[in-house]
Every structure is written in structure tokens, then in C-alpha cells.
Amino acid sequence: MSAPTFDRITGRSVWPDLEPLLPSVKKPIQYVGGELNSTVKDWDACDVRWALMYPDAYEVGLPNQGVMILYEVLNEREGVLAERTYSVWPDMEAKLREHGVPQFTVDGHRPVGDFDLFGLSFSTELGYTNMLTALDLAGIPLEAADRDMTHPVVIAGGHAAFNPEPIADFIDAAVIGDGEQAVLAITDIVRAWKGEGRPGGRDGLLLRLAATGGVYVPRFYDVEYLADGRIQRVAPNRSGVPWQVAKHTVMDLDEWPYPKKPLVPLAETVHERMSVEIFRGCTRGCRFCQAGMITRPVRERSITGIGDMVKAGLEATGYEEVGLLSLSSADHSEIADLAKGLADRYEGTQTSLSLPSTRVDAFNIDLANELSRNGRRSGLTFAPEGGSERIRKVINKMVSEEDLIRTVTAAYSAGWRQVKLYFMCGLPTETDEDVLQIAEMARNVIKAGREATGSRDIRCTVSIGGFVPKPHTPFQWCGQLGAAETDERLRKLRDVIRADKNYARAIGFRYHDGKPGIVEGLLSRGDRRVGKVIRAVWEDGGRFDGWSEFFSYDRWMAAAERALADEPVDVAWYTTRERDQIETLPWDHLDSGLDRDWLWEDWQDALRETEVDDCRWTPCFDCGVCPQMGTEIQIGPTGRKLLPLSVV
Amino acid sequence: MSPLPAKTPDGPPPPPVVQRVRVCYAKRGRLRFTSHRDIQRAFERALRRAAVPMAYSAGFTPHPKISWAGAAPTGTASEAEYVELGLSERVEPERLRGSLDEALPPDLDILAVDESEGGSLADYLEASVWRIELPEVDPAHARAAAAAFLAAEQVDVQRLTKNGMRTFDARAAVAELVALDDLPSVCAILRVVVRHTTPAVRPDDVLTGLGAVADLVPPVPPRVTRLAQGPLTLLLSADPEVVPTAPERGASPASGPTAVDSGVEVPQPGK
């Protein structure tokens, strides 16, 4: 290795090189930064510097709550600096390469390669190729093993990081779970290590991080395979590295009221509203839902804490819509008081409220009326997920058709005319019949609406996509439905919906074809060998895989065939193959707190069509998370009320 | 999601407009890359943050009463953009200027707020003065190109619009085109007065025209700034070689054209 050059001049703005490129790229505003509530700190006054990336386009990445929270938490700290970077569009990528301008942050326009840490938040696996683009543009070697002291430590987080094995070669570390406290702990370790003169070099730092038990360093683990391709075992390859790496859980959300000052972009983004997370975690126990499994237990923000965040956030942003965010927002123990209190507070101010995720059974019209009191009536969207009572028992989505009909009848009576319903196709044990019952359900919804209103002007949209089994869920063992079978089943459903002339025009049908789901499945449940596929796809030009105009199934399949040619495994092996209980799964050494035996039992319960209740309202079902992680359910009611805001 | 049909929403109608104000603002520096839609959103949010008593339209989706005048294209800076606001309570213009400027991001700067005396903003803003900096272009070449352009009857240019490639004349709308003198040879600067016509002739159309009549093709992206908008007669310089002085603001309280120093300073590299 050449002599360390880490004391070279770093952090210089590339703006003078970037500016001349902007007139000729699409939506240049996304590269200039300067968002309201953004921060540019003095480079030299900070000794730990983070570049944070959401590896998708700015318009998708900027509203991401995770990055926004970490950005603010880090920048609040003395001597710590965090700047953001996003994926540049292919036109800008070409310009940067042509003119030798590196991947830059939008805050200080500093080269990403100059930072101590490069944190990437993966909500979806489809951002993996974009990570490689960013690393390459930043001048950071793609493979962690090729990096030296001059390169940032590349850390992955976000839900996809619960199985980071497919990107194990490209990242230095992964952190699973809540990031607020984890980034500060990592910052302290980096600061101490730098202060001591970087003992042990890059590995010295990574060892310190790994030794905490809360940072996964893939390089410190060896994976051994059986002849048939299954994993034999995953074991630490040096002392001081734990066998299991634990997820992080923030307790008491009221102590972490972030983002306090949400970023307000000049550019248009996918969410033109402010979001306040009203609770984290979900114990409804839907078996397909990775988010619900890996974010346990439920931790509510108090009604007054939420009220304070809404007030501060609106003052800091000027947004006119507030989304009350969580995995199932109507489940907050004081949702009725909260909705009424906020509607009272903002009466006559053109401020509207929305609940992005609501369950049919937790929803009621009083709540909907409170939410729409001050403004626009935003959409009524429900997710029965499965068409038949039987399949809903399999997935543990305990919503009956009667619940749904009762709720939509009330909604239609109260003035709504359109309801959107979300479903999945390809759920375990599913047959054509389960999916075709979606058509029946949609017809019943329309019928109920017509009866309730006496009008034929009633609409229902059915939106359906292929199910992708995810790690750390009871369905992590199941075989995914193939793309062709998914498409065939969706075609049959479409035909049945269209066949009934009395209803066909009232029912909208939107679906996603099965191919992207297979690639997502490969990346979700893949192991380290899948890294070669990702790299091959990227080298072949793969970018922005979450965007249908860029995604190429054929490119992924061709790359997989080449990259896995010498392995006893292929795409089908990773996706449509069912696993048995004893198989070592690639993510078994990453501890989400869920007890493996409990997950297996829940999988068997699914096959027996047996439902499991929500532990918020019933005794514990021993999923294992609370005792394993030293956490507990935190829910109200607090009994407090939102007081009117004092007149200024 | 739409409620059942009803002619009007429940409740009283929104408060009426009691005052109209004309706002002149600048978009500078990095923020010249904002599109007009971006600026509209930024304004609406800033008005809320600054608690400006906006009047709203009636109906199920009330909108604040904001009228925009022709915006400078994305990528061009401006010292003279205009917007008119309808207010539900009277405000003191200078106070509004301060609070709105405070609520907008740096480089979107409120220059003046004046009470409107009626009339259409679009009618008032007849023409614009643009300053076009052409780094690495010889001023002599620019002068010759400007002369050739002015000598032509018609200069047809093409631009890709939403409706496909359009061809139109860029010459007729140009009331004045001057290459500023006494510059170091590294940068040419043009000052052009363009009438607001349909289809709109933009500074880049004039540049395309200069390319067509005199092979003037900037090697690096030009930097374009709108210096002023207003009635054409106020914008034309008596002596085209001399930068006109700004009309006294007090002389025309209903938003006189804002001219700023269109200066002849050498652009700072990397500024």
C-alpha cells in the first residue's frame, strides 16, 4: 500500500466544475442543494464527516425520512458534519465522467470520496446498482477489499440491510435497525480512532466497530458452502468479532423528535408534504410484511409529542399537508383524539392531514371526516392483500370481507366515491381461485356503494403486484411464484373483472408484471454469490432498477447466467425454491430479535391457515424480540389532549 | 377521492381580496437552475411560513390568489421577476417584503413590494432587458454578429417545445441588441431588449439566431440574466452604447421597471 495520504486537502467544493455542466442536464435544480433547513458546516471545524446517500434520484431520495433524520441528528452534534448525495441521472453521469467531476454532495458540493464515512440507506434492493455507480463516480474502489486509508468507510443501512449479503463485497459494514443512536455511536468510535492516530488502519477501525456487536463487517465473516449450493455455515474469521450482529432499537420516540426541521426542496419530489412518524413498529403480524417483523416492538410517539412535531414542522417548512406516518397509522392508541385535536388546531388554515397507511378494521368514518375537515379529501386506500378469506388467514391479514364492505359502505355514504384496494399475487399456497375472488370482492364493493348512495357513479380500483418473500419473515422459507405464473394469474383476474359488463367499467385494474419481482426476490434472499450478478448487471449498464424505463429483466437474467455459471445455483434456486427448516439462511447471523423457531412455527401456522393475534392487545406470543433486544411495547393512551395553539 | 357532487363546499365563502401587491424578486446564483414550477412551490410555502394573509379561491380545492408573469427560463438568472398577490388583509408593503424575503431561500430575493394600482401585470411588462455573458468569445466577433442580426429582416430559429420542433422568427421581437465595449478579450457581453411576443422569444433564441447569421457559437454555456422588465419605452436606452440608468422607483409606484447595474465588470470565473 502506498503511504497514507489522508492528510491531503479534502472537502474542496467541486461547484466550479459542476456549474458549467448544469445547463445541459435535465432538472438541474436537483444538483444545486440549498434546500430550506439544509446545513453546510465548516469542513475544517469537524473531525467526523459523513456523506449520506439515498441511492435513487433526488426526487425520490430527498423526502426519505431516514436520511433526513440522520442528517439532522449528525449535524446537531458539535464537530460532526453530514452532507447528502443522491443518484445522478444517466445524462449527468455521462457529463461527470466526461469532465472528470466526482460524485458530489448537494450541500457543500464536496467529493463523496473525501468523507470519513459514506452511509447508504436502502429501502429497497433495487438501489444496489445505483450504489455501484456512486462508488465508481466517487473514485472509491467497488470492492471493499481494494480500499485503503484514503477511502471512506462504506456503511449500508435501511430495511434491505437486514440481508446485506448480496452487497457484502461492496460495503465495509452494515447496520440494522434504527439509525439515530447507531450513527452517533459509530461517530464516537471513528472520532476516538482518528484521535489516537488511526491505530490498525482501516481494519483497526472496522474491528472496533464490529466488536460492539451492532455493526456487521462482512469481511470478518467467512461463508462456507455445501456441494449442493446451500450455505454450510457463516463464521467470524478473527477474534473479537461476534457470531451474531444485533439490530438497533430506539426506545422512547418522544426523545427523538426528528426531523425537527424537515428539508424543503425547491425541486418537485414524490412527497409534497411533511411527515411525522406517529409510531414505529407493528405487531399486527402480517406474515408477508418484512417491515412489521423487523421493526418490533411497537413504540408510539405520544399525542402531545406528535402535536409538537406537527407545529414545529409546519412553522419550519410551510407545507400544507401533514402525513401521519407509520406502518398502520389508525392503530395509534389515541388516533381519534389526535386527528380531532389536529383538525381543531388547524381549522381554517388550509392545512390538511393524511393517514398514509390505514387498516380496514381500524378505520372509521369519524376519523376520515376529521382528516378531511380542513382541506382536501385525500384517497381512501385499503389493503386487503388477499382475495379470499382462506388466503388472508395464510398471510395473517385478519380483515374480513364484512369489515371491508361495512367500511366502504360508510365511506360511500359519507361522500367518497372511489376506493382503492391493494392486493398481492403469488402468496404461499395461493391458487387461481384465491386471486379470482378479488374480482368478486371488487364487485361487492361496487354493489355496496351503489346501494348506499343510490348512484351508479361509484368506482373501485384494484391494484395488484407480485409477492416477494423477504428475510426475517415467516415466509422467508417459501418458494416465490415464477414470473410467468404470476402474469398468467393476473391475466385471468383481469379477464374475469372485464367479463362482467355490469361492473367492469366501475372497476379499475392496475397490476405490475412478475419480472421485476423475480429480480427483487433474487436480491432479497440472495447470498454473497449474488454480488457477482449485481456487478455484472452494473457493468452492463444497469442503473435505476426501480424505474420501469431503466429496468431490464433480460439484462439481469443474462448477467446471472454468466456470473453464476460456475456455481451450483441459479436465479430459480434463489427465488422459486422452497427452503427447509435446517437450511442455513444467508441472514441467520443478523439478529432482528425474532426467534427462528417462532418464525418457523408461524410459517407452519400459515400453512395450516391459523391466525395469530396482535400482542399489543393480547398476551405475548413469544416472537422473541423484546427479551432478545431488551425492549418493550410502548403504547398509550396517555390520556392527554392537544390544546388549542395560543394566538400569536 | 372526490366527494359527492355539490356546487359549493360547506361553510362561508373565503374572505375577499382587499389588497393587491406586486412583488419584484430576483433569482440569483445557483437558484437560476430552478424551474418556474419550483419557484411557484417555493413561493407558496414561503407565503405560509411568513404568515402572509393570502386570499384564497373558493371551491373544494382553494388556491392562494397568486398571478405570475412570464418567468425567466430555467438556467437563466433574473433581477426582475414579477408576481402579484391577492391579500385578505391589508399589509404594509415594506414589512411584507422583509418577511417574505426572510422566508425564501437565499438567492430568491424579494427586491420590492408595491401596492398594485390595477391593470394587468402581463400588459405592463411589455419587454425585457437581458444581459448575455459569453465567456471565451471575442467581443469583436460578438459585435459583428449583433450587427448582422440587426441587419437581417428575419432570423428564423428552431426550438424544441412541448409540441415538437417549432420554427419562428427571432428578429422581430428584438428591439435593441448591443455588444458592450471596452472588455477584455476573454468574454463578450450582449445587452438585448426583447419584446414579449407569442411565441415568446427567449435569450437562447437570440443566441441561436446569432449562430445562424454569424456563426457565433459559444464554446461554454453562456450566463444569462434578466435585468429589467417593463414598458418598452422605459427599457430602450437613448444611447445604445450606454447602459441606461434605472428609472427612479418612486416615479412609478406601481412597480416601475427594476433595472440594475448591467455592469461591464468581468465575470468572475467559477462565481
Side-chain angles (χ1 to χ4, degrees), chain A residues 474-637:
Chain A
F475 291 165
Q476 64 183 355
W477 289 280
C478 83
Q480 187 177 350
L481 189 64
E485 293 88 340
T486 300
D487 293 346
E488 176 63 12
R489 214 166 264 174
L490 291 175
R491 192 190 57 74
K492 285 180 185 163
L493 173 60
R494 187 196 57 197
D495 291 348
V496 170
I497 288 176
R498 290 200 179 150
D500 191 335
K501 291 288 173 265
N502 195 26
Y503 294 100
R505 294 186 58 180
I507 302 172
F509 184 60
R510 291 185 183 177
Y511 66 96
H512 303 285
D513 72 41
K515 285 176 174 177
I518 290 296
V519 172
E520 193 185 335
L522 169 73
L523 299 175
S524 291
R525 292 195 292 170
D527 54 37
R528 292 188 180 185
R529 293 167 292 191
V530 172
K532 289 187 290 187
V533 182
I534 298 169
R535 181 156 184 171
V537 165
W538 179 78
E539 285 171 350
D540 191 35
R543 304 286 187 276
F544 289 95
D545 284 301
W547 296 70
S548 55
E549 60 266 52
F550 292 104
F551 175 79
S552 164
Y553 180 74
D554 295 341
R555 172 186 278 146
W556 275 95
M557 292 306 112
E561 201 150 304
R562 288 198 310 275
L564 298 175
D566 299 333
E567 304 284 354
V569 297
D570 58 15
V571 172
W573 189 87
Y574 285 109
T575 55
T576 55
R577 180 180 65 100
E578 183 169 336
R579 282 75 159 163
D580 65 25
Q581 188 178 7
I582 57 155
E583 179 169 341
T584 299
L585 301 173
W587 52 90
D588 276 347
H589 55 298
L590 291 158
D591 187 6
S592 60
L594 294 159
D595 182 72
R596 200 180 196 273
D597 292 336
W598 179 82
L599 281 175
W600 179 262
E601 271 313 302
D602 205 38
W603 169 223
Q604 300 308 304
D605 279 348
L607 298 174
R608 286 191 292 265
E609 299 165 22
T610 304
E611 299 157 298
V612 176
D613 275 320
D614 187 324
C615 63
R616 262 175 297 190
W617 306 302
T618 61
C620 172
F621 290 95
D622 295 321
C623 76
V625 172
C626 290
Q628 178 72 10
M629 295 295 154
T631 55
E632 60 183 2
I633 297 171
Q634 289 179 336
I635 55 172

Side-chain angles (χ1 to χ4, degrees), chain A residues 67-87:
Chain A
V67 170
M68 223 185 269
I69 289 168
L70 300 186
Y71 175 76
E72 193 170 353
V73 164
L74 288 166
N75 277 322
E76 271 186 5
R77 275 286 192 95
E78 185 99 8
V80 182
L81 166 160
E83 300 197 354
R84 295 158 298 125
T85 185
Y86 305 96
S87 295

